[in-house]
Amino acid sequence: MTRTAGSPAPAARRKQRLAWYGGALLSSLLVVTATAWQVRANVGFHTRAVSGGSAGRAVTSVEIEGGRATVTVTPRGDREVGYRAEMNWSFKAPAIEESWLGDTLKLTPRCPGDSVGLADGAGCSVRLAVTVPAGIPVKVTGTSGDVSVSGLEGTVDADVESGALTLTGLRGALRARAGSGELRATALASPQADIRAGTGRAEARFLVPPQEVTARVGAGRLDLVLPPESRYRVTSRAGVGRCEVADALRDPSATGTLDISAESGHATAGYRPGGP
């Protein structure tokens, strides 16, 4: 084979082609990256605060379907229900859906295109603060969002899946559940309490002895901390897990009842530090 003087050898030509392809690919990646940043800049990140509530209408109970939103519920001094929502989004604004069933007001944070509640993490988030009359029943649920309820005197039914549930200073009947998340209840004065945890962790601390307590845990951990004067007719059960109740809590003649069980997890009931 005859090779013309000055023309590159086949190996050299291959190296030149590879270098050209590599440079072209790098240029394309830089263009795509720059375009993506430009799109992000054009879309932007928006923030808005909105407020609403019962607007003078009589309310006998409140239900909040929080989804992935961060939800707080606190008492107010009048008979109104009010809320303030801080909303953040990249593409389309979320909204707070208000609906009525009789005299029950239901609040649901929603992102556009979401049919079952808030779809956080896709450029959309909501922090919802709700104020309610202290004595009316409140039901609040969440999935991965954090929920906080404090200072209420009415019945509270609170449930989260993987989020954190914080309850403080409640005085009415209480039902609280955490799936794989965490439940922490403090300064409770609820006469009846039903505390449940799945694979997560729950701790309930009572300021005043409850009259009736039910506690259930699956594969997680549940701890009840009671005042020193608490005495109960105790029922305790465990599957492959452990269920421990302080001996001083047990009194067959007591008027109060404590029903506690663990499946494969660990449940305890005892006194706060300084008690018997």
Side-chain angles (χ1 to χ4, degrees):
M1 176 183 293
T2 302
R3 181 167 62 86
T4 304
S7 63
R13 287 197 298 271
R14 284 196 297 272
K15 290 181 180 179
Q16 289 174 351
R17 285 197 298 271
L18 289 173
W20 186 87
Y21 290 147
L25 178 60
L26 179 60
S27 298
S28 299
L29 290 173
L30 290 173
V31 169
V32 169
T33 302
T35 302
W37 277 104
Q38 184 64 40
V39 168
R40 183 180 178 88
N42 289 338
V43 170
F45 193 70
H46 309 280
T47 300
R48 178 190 301 167
V50 300
S51 58
S54 55
R57 181 169 173 175
V59 183
T60 56
S61 63
V62 172
E63 182 176 347
I64 305 164
E65 190 174 315
R68 299 178 185 175
T70 299
V71 178
T72 62
V73 185
T74 54
R76 59 189 292 158
D78 57 19
R79 300 303 300 171
E80 296 284 328
V81 172
Y83 69 81
R84 176 182 171 84
E86 297 178 0
M87 306 187 297
N88 301 288
W89 73 95
S90 294
F91 298 99
K92 292 184 179 181
I96 307 300
E97 179 183 286
E98 300 180 17
S99 58
W100 290 86
L101 180 60
D103 292 330
T104 297
L105 173 60
K106 182 177 180 180
L107 302 174
T108 308
R110 292 194 186 278
C111 283
D114 177 35
S115 61
V116 294
L118 183 69
D120 196 7
C124 177
S125 66
V126 173
R127 297 180 65 89
L128 177 64
V130 184
T131 55
V132 303
I136 70 171
V138 171
K139 179 178 182 180
V140 56
T141 61
T143 54
S144 60
D146 294 343
V147 173
S148 174
V149 185
S150 62
L152 301 187
E153 299 175 0
T155 300
V156 171
D157 185 338
D159 190 310
V160 299
E161 291 300 330
S162 58
L165 175 58
T166 304
L167 308 170
T168 308
L170 304 182
R171 301 181 64 84
L174 171 64
R175 177 193 173 276
R177 174 191 170 275
S180 60
E182 182 176 354
L183 187 165
R184 180 170 174 79
T186 57
L188 296 178
S190 301
Q192 296 87 31
D194 187 323
I195 310 294
R196 297 174 185 255
T199 58
R201 175 157 189 165
E203 180 184 62
R205 293 178 170 267
F206 290 84
L207 186 65
V208 177
Q211 182 64 23
E212 180 181 335
V213 185
T214 301
R216 300 282 186 269
V217 64
R221 169 86 185 222
L222 186 151
D223 297 299
L224 300 179
V225 183
L226 298 146
E229 61 270 27
S230 305
R231 301 290 187 276
Y232 296 99
R233 287 180 283 116
V234 175
T235 302
S236 60
R237 297 176 300 278
V240 295
R242 287 188 297 161
C243 188
E244 302 173 4
V245 178
D247 289 338
L249 278 172
R250 299 177 182 269
D251 183 351
S253 63
T255 58
T257 59
L258 169 60
D259 186 343
I260 183 170
S261 67
E263 294 177 6
S264 58
H266 187 192
T268 71
Y271 294 111
R272 59 175 178 249

